Amino acid sequence: RMTWKQYHRLEDIHGFMDYLAKTYPSIISVNTIGKSYEGRELKILRISDGKAGNKAVFIDGGIHAREWISPAVVTYFINQFAENFDVESDDIKNIDWYFLPVVNPDGYEYTHRSDRLWRKNRKYGYGPSTCTGADLNRNFGYRWGGKGSSSYPCSDIYRGSGPFSEPETKAISEFFRNTAVKFSAYLTYHSYGQYLLYPWGYDNALPADHKDLDSVGKQMAEAIRKTGGSQYKVGSSSGLLYPAAGGSDDWAKSLGIKYTYTVELSDTGRYGFVLPASYIEPVARENLAGLRVLASQV
Ligand code: 0X9
Ligand code: ZN
């Protein structure tokens, strides 16, 4: 059974998604958009009342294996919308929601079984190297290969052998290429640091509409602070953190998705990636308040 009092294994998360699709077939469907390197499913859940004219929002989590709070928060959002859809606000109901809670299932399972601080996927066999894994957030195909990424397969920020060389990022790019849906927002949940980051990440440059992104980001941060008290800093990835090319956010923005953010969840460093499970509910609750603000703006 799914709860938000502990971190769950992939099997539980996928079982939860399938259960919701079975329980609420009129609004929820689950699809597999591809498989990971080790053959695990990349499961996406859609929540929609099916009305024409809805906007569409894409949310993912678990790009980085060790950032366990991310799939936990994304599944909390799914549960909230699924269980309460009929009484949700029009802002929520007027959006077709797409959730991919675990982008990197092989890495996620590896952090549960072997190495709690693993970051990358688990692909093996990059030329002569005996190291494993590419950083999926350096593998997306916009300005791939630039600053803040490494060509060395043993690095934690290894970019892979080419844009979308990894099955997990390739599946996402194919999903976006094959769908007729025009997304208004793309949110990708990471940890940690408490930041709401918008493009560009590849270098110190800003998109033409950066003022809109900054304004909505600040409104989201304010809602988070009012709800749970956590302070989130708002700014561009490159300006506030560091330049890093090949991120999913930059690629989504390059497709023309206006409201594109990387959310770095709690905390600010006390526990870091190893955030105790007792934090899941408060972190998820305050970020749901942030997501509601986004939903009101798209
Ligand atoms: O470095 C990353 O991939 C992200 N931080 S994390 O600590 N979760 O690894 C930040 C990514 C920001 N976006 C881009 N640089 N494109
Ligand atoms: Zn991350």
Side-chain angles (χ1 to χ4, degrees):
R1 205 180 72 84
M2 197 68 175
T3 73
W4 286 267
K5 302 196 181 300
Q6 59 177 94
Y7 294 109
H8 288 276
R9 299 294 288 266
L10 184 73
E11 191 186 27
D12 293 356
I13 294 172
H14 283 174
F16 163 71
M17 294 167 75
D18 291 338
Y19 158 79
L20 289 178
K22 244 181 118 173
T23 308
Y24 304 106
S26 61
I27 52 163
I28 298 185
S29 58
V30 170
N31 274 292
T32 298
I33 64 159
K35 292 214 169 146
S36 66
Y37 176 72
E38 292 177 340
R40 295 185 176 89
E41 287 182 300
L42 301 170
K43 268 187 193 254
I44 198 163
L45 182 144
R46 175 178 185 265
I47 306 184
S48 167
D49 64 8
K51 282 208 203 76
N54 283 353
K55 303 276 185 184
V57 173
F58 190 97
I59 293 179
D60 71 34
I63 285 185
H64 290 139
R66 63 193 173 195
E67 299 167 8
W68 286 7
I69 187 68
S70 162
V73 162
V74 174
T75 52
Y76 181 97
F77 295 162
I78 293 173
N79 189 59
Q80 187 66 35
F81 292 171
E83 297 292 349
N84 306 294
F85 199 76
D86 47 344
V87 293
E88 273 292 353
S89 66
D90 285 344
D91 286 342
I92 302 299
K93 282 192 272 200
N94 291 342
I95 290 172
D96 295 344
W97 297 92
Y98 292 78
F99 296 96
L100 173 55
V102 190
V103 172
N104 178 10
D106 300 347
Y108 188 69
E109 279 299 288
Y110 191 71
T111 59
H112 282 266
R113 294 172 205 247
S114 305
D115 179 355
R116 176 65 185 83
L117 291 179
W118 189 257
R119 167 177 169 95
K120 303 187 284 180
N121 76 346
R122 294 295 302 164
K123 184 170 162 186
Y124 180 80
Y126 300 102
S129 171
T130 55
C131 284
T132 298
D135 181 348
L136 298 181
N137 216 30
R138 302 292 180 276
N139 190 243
F140 283 77
Y142 181 73
R143 301 240 175 186
W144 178 87
K147 286 183 183 174
S149 71
S150 173
S151 60
Y152 180 48
C154 299
S155 167
D156 236 6
I157 51 169
Y158 176 50
R159 60 177 77 120
S161 54
F164 300 118
S165 57
E166 308 307 298
E168 299 85 3
T169 54
K170 180 79 187 163
I172 294 173
S173 79
E174 292 289 304
F175 170 80
F176 277 86
R177 199 161 66 90
N178 293 330
T179 183
V181 179
K182 187 153 173 11
F183 289 95
S184 307
Y186 168 79
L187 297 185
T188 179
Y189 285 85
H190 285 253
S191 72
Y192 58 92
Q194 295 174 197
Y195 297 105
L196 290 165
L197 304 168
Y198 51 82
W200 299 105
Y202 70 85
D203 208 337
N204 282 301
L206 290 168
D209 60 352
H210 68 95
K211 287 195 174 138
D212 300 341
L213 293 168
D214 198 73
S215 156
V216 170
K218 283 183 172 139
Q219 292 172 63
M220 292 170 71
E222 177 62 10
I224 293 170
R225 195 193 55 75
K226 274 193 184 150
T227 304
S230 300
Q231 305 248 28
Y232 278 64
K233 292 195 168 78
V234 181
S236 75
S237 288
S238 48
L240 213 49
L241 272 191
Y242 40 70
S248 68
D249 48 4
D250 280 8
W251 175 75
K253 186 68 181 166
S254 80
L255 296 181
I257 302 176
K258 182 175 176 79
Y259 290 106
T260 292
Y261 297 92
T262 293
V263 184
E264 297 282 0
L265 295 163
S266 292
D267 58 9
T268 56
R270 178 172 182 201
Y271 296 107
F273 302 117
V274 194
L275 193 70
S278 58
Y279 283 72
I280 298 171
E281 284 181 352
V283 171
R285 192 181 314 115
E286 63 188 9
N287 275 278
L288 179 61
L291 183 58
R292 289 187 189 287
V293 168
L294 179 99
S296 74
Q297 300 296 314
V298 295

